[in-house]
Amino acid sequence: MRVAVFQIDGWQKEYLSAALVKFGHEVVCVSSSLDAEHLPDSGTEAVSVFVGSSVDRKVMEALPNMKLITTRSTGFDHIDLAAAREKNISLGYVPSYGENTVAEFAFGLILTLSRKLFPAIDRIKETSDFSFEGLEGFDLKGKTIGVVGTGRIGRHVIRIAKGFGMEVVAYDAFPNKKLAEEMNFPYVPFPEVLGVSDVLTLHVPYLKETHHLISNDNIFQMKKGAILINTSRGPVVETEALVRALKEGHLGGAGLDVLEEEGALKDEMGFVLKEKSANEESFRKIIANHILMDLPNVVITPHNAFNTREAITRILDADIQNIVSFAESGAVESPIPEI
Ligand code: NAD
């Protein structure tokens, strides 16, 4: 097959292309994302993308020979699944590649906030000032963590939280009673998880049901002084609501690996000049994100929770497996589920 691989560089490019070439595929690798303005050769039969690409109907129409789309990620909200299914294009993803990886990162964000690590490190680097003025934090032991979404990542978060001696409460649209018994935590209704959690951490997929799961309607139901951690997807949290809750001192902080309109933030000039769908709402979100970036009790990372050598190797192996199994049998190893 003629395979175009997007958003890939360095050792990952060598690793993936060597494996696919070994299986007889013709491979082109580029560092840019795939969207209607960055298209591969029209003869391309398979594309491998990552979050940040936008594989919409226009892209599919521009690639009439495309039979397979794989994403090297767990989330797949950057692919128009309905359009792909209508066009009989197969869809592969990476359902699991190291849920510990994202869970560990979530705790990185939690500790950064609970122990004020960023200002502590920054102060020493910038001024060599060893005072601990203003750096008092809080213990995790004995605090309550609310885990929203107890799937692969959420359950690792629960395991780690127990190691810190935290009380765990959880909410999931599809509670897993067996897991709750095995790991000894209670499922509680959503308003309760909001009301009792000192740390609220989100591990749900981005679906229409989880759009603005945390919003102006409920953010003030969160416990006063709580910190919010989002490593799931940006639009699970309504940015303007978060800004309000932080500015008004209701929340104690936020640790965000994902943001609404994070794609636009990566290339703001390009977004302003080229993005035809840019509207007032998008601009409001971008401005709200800039306000967040400036707040001292907010830490933001660039959608980096997945990014370890071990996790990436597992992601690449799964993507290779998806492409190779599709080429050999017409069925991908891990098809994107019908939702
Ligand atoms: P998963 O599918 O194993 O678990 C998701 C859980 O959310 C499930 O238990 C499901 O029942 C629950 N859920 C679904 N809809 C819900 C709703 N409306 N309300 C409450 N709960 C709901 O997924 P996972 O592997 O744990 O990953 C979770 C998300 O993390 C992914 O979808 C992805 O968006 C994000 N993610 C981010 C990164 C990163 O680098 N920041 C990396 C990997 C995954």
Side-chain angles (χ1 to χ4, degrees):
M1 282 196 304
R2 289 174 82 167
V3 186
V5 185
F6 290 82
Q7 297 158 280
I8 198 153
D9 271 317
W11 73 267
Q12 300 180 35
K13 175 174 158 180
E14 303 304 322
Y15 187 92
L16 190 82
S17 56
L20 292 176
V21 166
K22 208 169 93 195
F23 281 97
H25 299 293
E26 209 180 294
V27 186
V28 177
C29 293
V30 289
S31 53
S32 70
S33 48
L34 171 63
D35 57 44
E37 302 201 342
H38 301 92
L39 291 164
D41 182 294
S42 63
T44 298
E45 294 165 280
V47 294
S48 163
V49 297
F50 188 58
V51 287
S53 278
S54 173
V55 197
D56 57 15
R57 190 175 285 277
K58 269 196 205 152
V59 169
M60 296 174 204
E61 281 166 3
L63 301 173
N65 296 324
M66 185 157 69
K67 295 181 284 216
L68 173 67
I69 300 166
T70 63
T71 183
R72 305 188 300 281
S73 58
T74 307
F76 37 75
D77 45 286
H78 49 296
I79 303 172
D80 183 340
L81 303 181
R85 291 194 168 116
E86 202 182 283
K87 291 176 182 304
N88 225 359
I89 297 170
S90 293
L91 297 161
Y93 80 132
V94 184
S96 131
Y97 56 80
E99 30 285 348
N100 66 294
T101 308
V102 177
E104 287 170 17
F105 194 88
F107 268 86
L109 292 175
I110 294 169
L111 287 165
T112 304
L113 290 164
S114 68
R115 304 306 304 269
K116 299 201 166 94
L117 292 179
F118 181 75
I121 294 164
D122 193 52
R123 177 178 299 176
I124 292 197
K125 285 217 183 276
E126 291 299 317
T127 65
S128 303
D129 172 1
F130 274 74
S131 88
F132 43 74
E133 179 85 33
L135 296 179
E136 183 183 285
F138 63 87
D139 281 357
L140 294 184
K141 183 167 183 282
K143 297 292 184 309
T144 299
I145 185 168
V147 180
V148 179
T150 55
R152 286 173 281 247
I153 296 170
R155 71 189 63 176
H156 268 273
V157 167
I158 293 170
R159 191 165 291 132
I160 298 172
K162 296 245 171 199
F164 274 99
M166 299 184 84
E167 301 294 327
V168 175
V169 291
Y171 171 75
D172 197 296
F174 307 95
N176 181 336
K177 290 208 177 97
K178 191 163 168 269
L179 185 75
E181 265 167 37
E182 277 168 15
M183 296 186 72
N184 191 26
F185 68 85
Y187 281 108
V188 298
F190 193 52
E192 189 175 333
V193 95
L194 294 180
V196 301
S197 302
D198 300 292
V199 176
L200 187 78
T201 183
L202 306 174
H203 303 287
V204 291
Y206 180 54
L207 306 167
K208 67 177 186 321
E209 294 80 9
T210 58
H211 178 77
H212 289 180
L213 189 67
I214 302 293
S215 71
N216 256 319
D217 295 338
N218 60 22
I219 201 160
F220 286 90
Q221 290 169 25
M222 283 178 67
K223 187 169 177 180
K224 190 154 169 38
I227 61 174
L228 176 67
I229 304 296
N230 189 8
T231 59
S232 64
R233 284 292 181 267
V236 173
V237 176
E238 184 181 6
T239 314
E240 288 172 60
L242 180 58
V243 168
R244 252 188 77 204
L246 288 161
K247 280 266 189 196
E248 292 179 19
H250 185 75
L251 289 190
L256 311 168
D257 188 45
V258 288
L259 293 170
E260 286 193 283
E261 298 293 350
E262 68 189 37
L265 286 169
K266 282 195 176 141
D267 176 17
E268 284 181 341
M269 188 60 88
F271 180 76
V272 171
L273 296 178
K274 285 190 260 142
E275 187 59 62
K276 293 179 191 61
S277 63
N279 54 29
E280 196 190 316
E281 208 192 329
S282 316
F283 285 112
R284 285 172 70 89
K285 283 179 181 144
I286 292 170
I287 292 167
N289 280 330
H290 279 281
I291 298 172
L292 283 179
M293 287 180 217
D294 281 344
L295 291 176
N297 50 351
V298 175
V299 285
I300 297 177
T301 48
H303 201 141
N304 194 43
F306 72 97
N307 195 6
T308 66
R309 174 65 75 130
E310 294 82 355
I312 291 168
T313 306
R314 289 188 289 264
I315 290 171
L316 295 178
D317 288 341
D319 196 50
I320 293 162
Q321 196 55 44
N322 273 338
I323 296 168
V324 168
S325 71
F326 176 79
E328 284 175 357
S329 69
V332 288
E333 174 85 4
S334 301
I336 293 181
E338 304 262 354
I339 301 178

